[in-house]
Amino acid sequence: MEFKLKSIHIQNFKSLKDTKIELADFNVLVGVNGSGKSNIVEVFRFLRHINQQGMINPFLRYGGYKNLVWKGNEELPMTFKLNFEDENKEVLSYELVISGFRDVFKLERESIISNDFKIINNGKNVILEYSGQKIESDKLKDMKIKNELLENKVLFSSSIGILMPLILGASMDLNEKERDTFMNVMPTILRNSIINSTHNFIPANMKSPAKFESSERFQFVVLFPKLTNQLDYDGSNLQMFLYGLFSENKGEWPKEIINRLKILFPNIESMKPIPTPEGRVVLEVVENGIRFIPQSISDGFFKIMAVLALSFEKSEINLLVIDELENSIHPEAIEILIDALKNSGKQVIITTHSPIVLNVCELEDILFVKKDVDETKVSRVKNAEKLKKDLENTGISVGEGWLYGALE
Amino acid sequence: MKNCKSFYLWVEDRYGTKFFSRLLERIESKLEVTIPKRYPEGKFIKIKSARTVGNIETKIDKAVALAWKRYDCAIVVCDGDGKREERLKRLNKKVSEIKERPENKNKKVIIIVFKKAIESDWIEKGLDEKIDYGDKAELPNYADKLNLNLLKEDENFKEFIYAVDP
């Protein structure tokens, strides 16, 4: 059964002091500047960052722990709790508690808990239980796992080195069904949360010819071979990402992308990512017989291409997070991009300040993000059916209703 | 439609605008109906999606009132989702309220509501086969494939042709 991220509960991360968010398949975060929308996006970027290959101190990128922890209070730990659920309401949870007093990274606690088993990592030992029974530690020792390999390590950051042997060791005593359940857990958590695709696109960066590799590294390519082709946070390797998509699709663009491009850019005759002798990729676009290089193409085109490619690429990533989707995009293109994201088969979280985005969404998709003194709080529309009727009767669209302050 | 030398066509979404743009070209070439001159863009024909401003139900009165400022006629096309009569009645009621204003006395509006949806009402009929409603972005491509002769007896299609024929 396919699990999806059902809710997140974050404590002490930036403005998210104690913030719970219930998630649906498509989620639109709205709120005033400084309400904490981008901090929610940053949660996913941080979870991805902390699991990068060779990560020793995840706080460096942020200029220290004090810039990440709530109100700069270094004595507080940060907690990330993710709950997953499948169609049969089976639940799975992942919790990570870390601290960083004086910028020293410390893993306080990490756990994966399902109906049948538990994996607890306390930063020194990893304890496994299946159906309430502890897996004997000597069996794990037989797997030649050295304690120093476990010390202060997040399970997924060194999954191949630590978690996989642990699971394999533990699974020796399990029957086939139990082993399958056990083995399914790690990819599920990874695909639906940790290895997410989080972005705040910078069109100027997207126009640069891309190198043949991404700036972010994961070990998970053993589990997920298609992870070698991932789009960077700001989209700076877009042209390489498109090359990967184009090549995987046997030198064609997926028809879901072509159908939408034909509507938005009817004069484009052809479009092809071309490798250069310098080891880069350049997207070449021919419109009305004229060949364009990326620098001559509009910002909106690159952003549209990025969202369409993310929607219809076939990698193992199930979670897309996009900050301020609407920047540089025409309203009619917004309509098509939202439709593409909704039809991507992936779980999507976007942030917006645009009433047009809200107009093309459902009331049930919207999450209101508010700053309550110095904490971010998130809520959904109450009684959406009644509100829909009220809006319709008064001739007000969802976006207008938001501007009037009538949705909450 | 007599005296309808320009029109504003309002459809549910952006895929619909592209579909109708292509369909008008085919109606002109295959059924020999003279569509109002299409260029320059926006002068005689405008096709717009309702989604970015809300939806047809909520905004029909405003869209039609604005259309009448610049075009001879307003044409509104939407799905009925199995409740055609009910929806048509509601939309007509909203439009009748603005039609009562003196400045709109001689203005024309045609509201076309499909029984269910365009896919089942026109596309399957025009292709004479069931289709798989996969990706909605495929919709404009069907405009080039329809056998328009198979639609000639469809009440909504007849009404549409009547509306776009000046």
Side-chain angles (χ1 to χ4, degrees), chain B residues 10 16 33 50 105-106 108 145 161:
Chain B
W10 209 46
V33 173
K105 204 178 161 193
N106 298 315
K108 292 185 174 65
K145 298 173 188 166
I161 297 287

Side-chain angles (χ1 to χ4, degrees), chain A residues 237-254:
Chain A
N237 66 337
L238 174 67
Q239 293 173 67
M240 180 57 228
F241 183 66
L242 293 174
Y243 178 78
L245 177 66
F246 190 72
S247 309
E248 254 173 44
N249 209 47
K250 296 172 185 165
E252 287 180 3
W253 299 105

